[in-house]
Amino acid sequence: MVGAARNPDEGELSASQITNITPELTDDYLRCNELSGTDYETLQTKTFYGQEKKGLAYIIGIMNMILHGIEAPNLIHSNTLNENVMDIQEKDRHDIILANPPFGGGERREVQQNFPIRTGETAYLFLQHFIRKLKAGGRGAVVIKNTFLSNTDNASVGLRKELLEACNLHTVLDCPQGTFQGAGVKTVVLFFEKGEATQKIWFYQLDPGRSMGKTNPLSDEDLKEFLELQKSFADSPKSWTVKRGDLNEVTFDLSVKNPNEPEKEASRSPEDIISDMLARDAETADLLENIRVLL
């Protein structure tokens, strides 16, 4: 599901966000004691927009938004990717896009014709849609599989080039395996602002110190250091900055390689490993021989 918004406090939402909108999002963050009648009307009618291809997710999205205070959700039952991105008009663009598009899906060739970079990878089509759906100065945060940063196929290279030239990709959050359920691969979150080319990119390697999963999800505490360091794009053992001029101008490779990570202890040599294995085999043989004597 993709949603939209048309003022600085509004945002375009993904399926996971629309169908899991929390009271904290609608009440604690957007609603406040000083909320005027006009602001309340904006929150109700001009803040959250959405499109959903699948019928069940569409119904769940409508229901969840109503249960959390959005009385008349602006959700449409349609395939976002059927929209030709070259036909998007200024009145249809948004200030904020937050999205977790599906990975690994495939779209028909006629759908791919709606995009300048044609690919069967659904997530890549969505990213093109998001870039063009933002207003100038609009901000985006998009979850995508980390292989996007380094894949060498034409679509990946072309899309990285477009993102760097059309937007200021200022932050890449590298997430551990299991952060997003159902992704099946490691993911990153791309934070960018449209209208100004990228000059430098700040990377942060998130490491909660535990395995992530359905029963052990990401918490606000896990992101505390990231949020603090991101304010000034500070370097640390988990964060670093890459200048646009240092990137390969052919591949635009954005691989997550932390130069500040402490060096790991050198691995043992093959000779040491073999010697250790032979010693253990000798010990095992002695034990078996002693057991046989006792039989």
Side-chain angles (χ1 to χ4, degrees):
M1 180 178 292
V2 177
R6 298 195 180 97
N7 69 46
D9 290 328
E10 303 168 345
E12 175 158 334
L13 304 179
S14 68
S16 62
Q17 292 159 327
I18 290 284
T19 56
N20 290 286
I21 285 180
T22 64
E24 289 76 16
L25 175 62
T26 55
D27 295 329
D28 296 343
Y29 184 71
L30 293 178
R31 299 181 185 185
C32 58
N33 294 331
E34 295 79 21
L35 198 65
S36 66
T38 301
D39 290 337
Y40 180 78
E41 180 69 16
T42 297
L43 176 65
Q44 284 290 324
T45 63
K46 299 179 182 179
T47 297
F48 299 113
Y49 294 77
Q51 293 174 238
E52 173 53 50
K53 178 180 179 181
K54 297 182 179 180
L56 180 58
Y58 167 72
I59 294 172
I60 293 174
I62 290 280
M63 178 186 68
N64 203 56
M65 292 191 74
I66 292 175
L67 289 174
H68 289 95
I70 306 301
E71 298 168 3
N74 294 306
L75 303 186
I76 302 172
H77 189 196
S78 68
N79 183 358
T80 300
L81 299 181
N82 282 337
E83 181 178 9
N84 191 317
V85 295
M86 306 310 294
D87 295 337
I88 295 174
Q89 301 179 33
E90 184 62 27
K91 66 181 179 63
D92 300 318
R93 293 192 170 97
H94 319 301
D95 299 283
I96 299 172
I97 293 177
L98 309 173
N100 181 8
F103 304 142
E107 288 291 345
R108 305 182 309 277
R109 288 188 178 276
E110 54 266 36
V111 173
Q112 297 179 34
Q113 302 297 319
N114 293 326
F115 301 87
I117 301 175
R118 295 172 186 175
T119 172
E121 172 55 63
T122 305
Y124 290 8
L125 299 179
F126 270 108
L127 184 54
Q128 292 181 72
H129 172 85
F130 298 147
I131 292 172
R132 286 164 178 77
K133 203 75 169 177
L134 275 175
K135 292 180 179 179
R139 294 168 291 156
V142 178
V143 179
I144 199 164
K145 55 187 178 182
N146 71 342
T147 52
F148 164 73
L149 302 178
S150 59
N151 279 349
T152 57
D153 60 282
N154 291 337
S156 297
V157 173
L159 189 49
R160 287 196 297 268
K161 182 175 186 291
E162 178 177 323
L163 180 61
L164 293 171
E165 292 179 349
C167 304
N168 175 22
L169 176 62
H170 55 79
T171 301
V172 174
L173 173 61
D174 180 38
C175 302
Q177 185 83 29
T179 300
F180 292 92
Q181 295 301 307
V185 293
K186 284 197 63 178
T187 53
V188 295
V189 185
L190 308 175
F191 295 86
F192 53 90
E193 184 172 334
K194 184 178 176 180
E196 185 176 331
T198 302
Q199 298 300 319
K200 56 184 179 179
I201 308 167
W202 184 74
F203 291 81
Y204 182 87
Q205 202 160 40
L206 183 63
D207 180 14
R210 67 182 192 281
S211 297
M212 309 299 298
K214 187 174 183 179
T215 59
N216 196 14
L218 201 64
S219 68
D220 290 342
E221 186 64 26
D222 294 327
L223 292 169
K224 187 175 180 180
E225 182 183 67
F226 164 72
L227 293 173
E228 185 61 33
L229 294 175
Q230 204 263 352
K231 293 177 182 178
S232 60
F233 301 107
D235 286 354
S236 73
K238 296 180 182 178
S239 60
W240 66 99
T241 301
V242 175
K243 294 181 179 178
R244 171 70 172 79
D246 293 335
L247 298 177
N248 186 306
E249 290 298 318
V250 176
T251 64
F252 302 97
D253 191 299
L254 299 173
S255 299
V256 177
K257 298 175 183 176
N258 186 354
N260 300 329
E261 187 176 15
E263 292 186 8
K264 297 180 180 179
E265 294 183 6
S267 300
R268 293 188 299 165
S269 67
E271 291 81 3
D272 289 340
I273 295 174
I274 292 173
S275 297
D276 187 48
M277 292 175 64
L278 291 173
R280 291 180 181 276
D281 287 344
E283 292 176 4
T284 301
D286 288 341
L287 289 173
L288 290 174
E289 184 61 31
N290 291 335
I291 293 173
R292 186 167 65 177
V293 170
L294 294 173
L295 294 177

